[in-house]
Amino acid sequence: DTFDDVAAALVALPALVREALPQADTRRTVVIGHSAGGHLALWAAARHVLPADAPWRTDGPAPLRGVVALAPIADFAVAGKLNVCGGAALQLLGGPDEFDVRRPYADPALLLPTGIATTLVQGRADVEVPQAVAEAYAEAAAKAGEVVGLTLLEDVGHFPLIDPVADACAVVAEEIAQLAW
């Protein structure tokens, strides 16, 4: 249901924006997510590269200017080795019996290149989702021929990225602004 919801939200977004914010330029849409939400933001931008039999696959890229993923669970293999969030990726895919079968439909590191500008923002002191996960995604993107930005913030943990009074959040806002431009 999670993937159904994200796919439906992306389909509905342009009409909702036109209705609620007619002055907005939908060509400047940037999807943002934190942690598990960062995974979903990356996944949303990769629907056009899902396996052909995936129910969420689209014919072309989403009309997005970019993605800013904050401490995302962006590489399920690395996240699994590090037991990120108590095995969140494994749980999302239904446990060990389903993991290998479902991973090609859900793991952002396997859904590259997307052709959509992407930046990851990661705290170096994050113990919830260690920087190795973001680095693995950036490396997978490079191997797929795609440049992904990776902003590593010193002395920043998992939650300052979404804390409006934290300096890290100002960096996040700048990353969003740069992609939305």
Side-chain angles (χ1 to χ4, degrees), residues 23 37 44 52-53 55 63 74 77 93 111 127-128 132-133 144 176:
Q23 72 280 13
D53 64 335
L93 299 186
L111 301 172
V127 295
E128 309 298 326
V133 179
I176 295 166

Side-chain angles (χ1 to χ4, degrees), residues 88-176:
L90 186 67
Q91 293 171 35
L92 175 68
L93 299 186
D97 293 340
E98 301 291 337
F99 185 78
D100 289 335
V101 173
R102 293 179 175 172
R103 186 172 167 227
Y105 299 86
D107 187 344
L110 300 180
L111 301 172
L112 292 161
T114 67
I116 295 175
T118 300
T119 297
L120 310 180
V121 182
Q122 178 72 46
R124 288 187 182 270
D126 190 335
V127 295
E128 309 298 326
V129 181
Q131 82 179 49
V133 179
E135 289 172 335
Y137 179 84
E139 289 171 18
K143 286 179 186 172
E146 187 158 80
V147 176
V148 167
L150 177 57
T151 301
L152 298 172
L153 303 177
E154 292 296 331
D155 301 319
V156 172
H158 193 64
F159 295 103
L161 300 173
I162 57 169
D163 180 351
V165 298
D167 291 340
C169 198
V171 173
V172 170
E174 181 59 31
E175 295 288 357
I176 295 166

Side-chain angles (χ1 to χ4, degrees), residues 17-18 20-28:
V17 170
R18 282 192 300 274
L21 299 165
Q23 72 280 13
D25 181 355
T26 57
R27 295 172 299 165
R28 296 176 62 190

Side-chain angles (χ1 to χ4, degrees), residues 37-61:
H39 158 259
L40 293 174
L42 294 169
W43 180 86
R47 290 176 53 217
H48 62 291
V49 296
L50 285 168
D53 64 335
W56 314 284
R57 184 181 169 97
T58 58
D59 292 333

